[in-house]
Amino acid sequence: MARFIVTVLDGFGVGVMDDYADFNPQDKNAHTFKSILKSMPELSLPTLARLGLMNIAGFESAMMKFSENAIFGKSKLKHFGADTFFGHQEMMGSKPVKPKTEPFYTKIDAVEAALIAENYQVRRANYSDLIKNNLLNLKSAHATVSHREILIVNEAATIADNLESYAGQIYNVTSSLDLLSFAQITKIGRIVRAVVSVPRVIAFAGAQVSLDDILNAVEIKDDDFIGINAPKSGVYAHNYHVIHLGFGVDFTKQAPHILAQHNIPTFLLGKVADIVATKLGKAYPAVDTAQVLQQTLDYMDEFTTGFMCSNVQETDLAGHAQDANLYAQRLIIADSYIAKIINKMNADDLLIVTADHGNDPLIGHKGHTREYVPLMIYSKALNSDNNGLHDLGMRAGLADIAKTAVTFLGVTEDILSGDVIDFIVTTQQF
């Protein structure tokens, strides 16, 4: 038996996709990897270069050259836009469904009715009233007085727009673990999810937070969007819990859940542990790159067959910060740990290093960029010196990884989206 290991360098794109203009015309010249090299031309990522990064990029740098025996390719994104959540759902085997973009005020009636039907106490609070009640810090809020409303459920949770994402694409259920259990908060989130068509509903909460703390963090964005400034509310500070509920996502048809049901060990580490919904297998949420990848190494001591996916989130965070040098530093850390993972692999194990979208730190905006992502594959047998190069070309979508994983591990499931990477499974018996 063997291990199938996926390492996701969050936000590491390798060139703008042809359909970028349908998502964001500003992405015209996006190329996350080139931008990082532009800021740090002497960057050295010896492990990724060995795995074919420069072959994928199509050029060499001062410190990194083409690999002579890599298995490499690129992948398109099938999900609309460039989103970490949907990128990972796709990677786990979901077929993306194009959701709608709707400000919360367009769905507030339907959400309110659904909650009342489930016997929740629901009241509305509009921005003007919150100001009059002195519950808002005007110095940090939008200056415009608006009629926009949020919902308050059982005097313990709020429902409103997410202000940190692309406007109108996410609704937040924000609460306190001192007021509701996370199971109760999740139930509210699922009721919202059932009646709206935005890409995501995120239900989250922290401890040592009051309803007033949450209401004091209400803000307006572009007049049409009202929501909670989550960091300001304090929910991230103590015992943070979160669940992401995606539009059209059925986690029972994803690789981790399917494999776990076949008693094949599964491990999700980093941000992927938060956004893939299966409760089977082991989950290790964390942000720090070294911590996530060290835990990957530690888990490798626990099993000789199974599926593991680790997300390196700090690369994406550096992209959002538009800090190419910080991005490069996080890649250096990841590169060193990927080398350790390779050294710990058994003969039949297989590693895929990939990404979920781009996040060009020099593009001129703080959002994700719609880019092709790298596909770098390693096994001790397939990458032996006498096997030479193998170019997998352009894959149609990230779901090919999930389909390949379950096939590689001996499970046949037609319900998964994507196509098998034939080169891997036909040469599995090395």
Side-chain angles (χ1 to χ4, degrees):
M1 298 297 286
R3 294 175 287 201
F4 194 100
I5 303 166
V6 182
T7 300
V8 183
L9 302 176
D10 202 311
F12 189 57
V14 289
V16 68
M17 289 181 59
D18 292 340
D19 64 354
Y20 74 92
D22 295 334
F23 171 62
N24 187 352
Q26 289 180 278
D27 289 353
K28 181 177 181 180
N29 298 311
H31 197 305
T32 300
F33 182 44
K34 277 187 178 179
S35 290
I36 295 164
L37 283 177
K38 181 178 179 180
S39 294
M40 190 179 287
E42 302 299 315
L43 175 65
S44 177
L45 303 169
T47 310
L48 294 179
R50 172 188 175 190
L51 295 180
L53 178 57
M54 306 316 292
N55 305 69
I56 294 169
F59 60 85
E60 295 182 323
S61 70
M63 301 299 294
M64 293 181 284
K65 308 301 179 183
F66 296 132
S67 176
E68 296 182 355
N69 66 326
I71 305 168
F72 64 93
K74 296 181 185 179
S75 180
K76 298 178 181 178
L77 308 179
K78 278 193 174 179
H79 69 275
F80 177 75
D83 184 78
T84 294
F85 176 82
F86 280 101
H88 281 80
Q89 306 311 314
E90 183 182 338
M91 198 180 300
M92 295 302 117
S94 291
K95 183 177 180 180
V97 178
K98 187 174 181 179
K100 297 179 181 178
T101 298
E102 302 170 322
F104 183 61
Y105 76 84
T106 66
K107 302 300 293 185
I108 190 170
D109 292 343
V111 172
E112 182 181 45
L115 289 164
I116 291 172
E118 295 291 333
N119 298 315
Y120 287 93
Q121 296 179 350
V122 185
R123 69 179 174 94
R124 299 190 184 202
N126 67 52
Y127 191 69
S128 301
D129 288 343
L130 290 171
I131 293 173
K132 292 175 184 177
N133 291 335
N134 296 316
L135 289 175
L136 223 54
N137 179 355
L138 294 180
K139 292 181 180 178
S140 61
H142 193 286
T144 302
V145 176
S146 172
H147 64 283
R148 300 301 177 217
E149 296 173 309
I150 67 171
L151 292 181
I152 300 175
V153 183
N154 286 6
E155 298 300 312
T158 62
I159 306 173
D161 289 297
N162 178 303
L163 301 181
E164 287 76 43
S165 68
Y166 289 99
Q169 294 194 356
I170 301 176
Y171 301 155
N172 284 353
V173 178
T174 310
S175 189
S176 168
L177 295 175
D178 303 327
L179 302 174
L180 291 174
S181 70
F182 192 63
Q184 292 171 313
I185 296 162
T186 300
K187 184 178 179 180
I188 294 171
R190 293 194 186 281
I191 292 171
V192 178
R193 174 72 280 169
V195 296
V196 302
S197 299
V198 291
R200 263 186 286 171
V201 172
I202 307 177
F204 58 90
Q208 302 178 36
V209 179
S210 69
L211 178 61
D212 281 354
D213 291 331
I214 295 170
L215 294 178
N216 280 331
V218 172
E219 294 183 3
I220 288 284
K221 179 179 179 180
D222 300 330
D223 199 50
D224 269 349
F225 305 95
I226 181 170
I228 309 299
N229 181 322
K232 189 187 301 182
S233 72
V235 294
Y236 293 158
H238 303 284
N239 198 23
Y240 177 63
H241 282 57
V242 62
I243 184 169
H244 295 248
L245 305 170
F247 180 75
V249 174
D250 182 353
F251 71 87
T252 66
K253 298 179 181 179
Q254 295 181 333
H257 188 84
I258 290 169
L259 291 169
Q261 286 195 313
H262 284 80
N263 298 315
I264 295 174
T266 63
F267 301 81
L268 303 176
L269 300 96
K271 190 171 183 178
V272 66
D274 287 329
I275 59 182
V276 173
T278 184
K279 300 303 180 186
L280 303 178
K282 289 191 176 182
Y284 182 83
V287 175
D288 181 81
T289 300
Q291 183 181 349
V292 170
L293 295 179
Q294 180 57 54
Q295 187 61 48
T296 302
L297 290 166
D298 293 344
Y299 277 153
M300 288 179 72
D301 291 331
E302 296 186 17
F303 73 111
T304 57
T305 183
F307 175 82
M308 175 182 290
C309 182
S310 305
N311 174 278
V312 177
Q313 185 181 359
E314 286 189 313
T315 46
D316 188 53
L317 296 177
H320 285 307
Q322 298 183 294
D323 190 332
N325 288 331
L326 178 61
Y327 202 129
Q329 293 301 326
R330 295 299 177 263
L331 284 176
I332 290 170
I333 296 171
D335 188 89
S336 67
Y337 273 94
I338 292 169
K340 295 176 183 179
I341 291 170
I342 288 173
N343 289 337
K344 207 166 193 175
M345 289 170 63
N346 296 326
D348 291 343
D349 294 343
L350 190 130
L351 169 70
I352 291 183
V353 181
T354 188
D356 49 353
H357 51 74
N359 198 339
D360 190 327
L362 303 183
I363 197 64
H365 63 76
K366 295 184 179 181
H368 295 158
T369 44
R370 186 164 174 80
E371 296 182 56
Y372 301 109
V373 297
L375 196 64
M376 294 171 276
I377 296 173
Y378 180 82
S379 79
K380 291 190 174 181
L382 291 179
N383 294 78
S384 62
D385 290 339
N386 60 355
N387 281 347
L389 288 172
H390 190 91
D391 187 349
L392 298 172
M394 183 69 73
R395 307 300 300 187
L398 294 170
D400 290 3
I401 293 172
K403 192 75 168 182
T404 304
V406 297
T407 305
F408 181 85
L409 293 169
V411 176
T412 302
E413 291 284 354
D414 292 335
I415 57 178
L416 284 176
S417 179
D419 297 313
V420 173
I421 303 174
D422 291 327
F423 177 77
I424 294 176
V425 296
T426 56
T427 53
Q428 182 178 354
Q429 301 304 318
F430 312 124

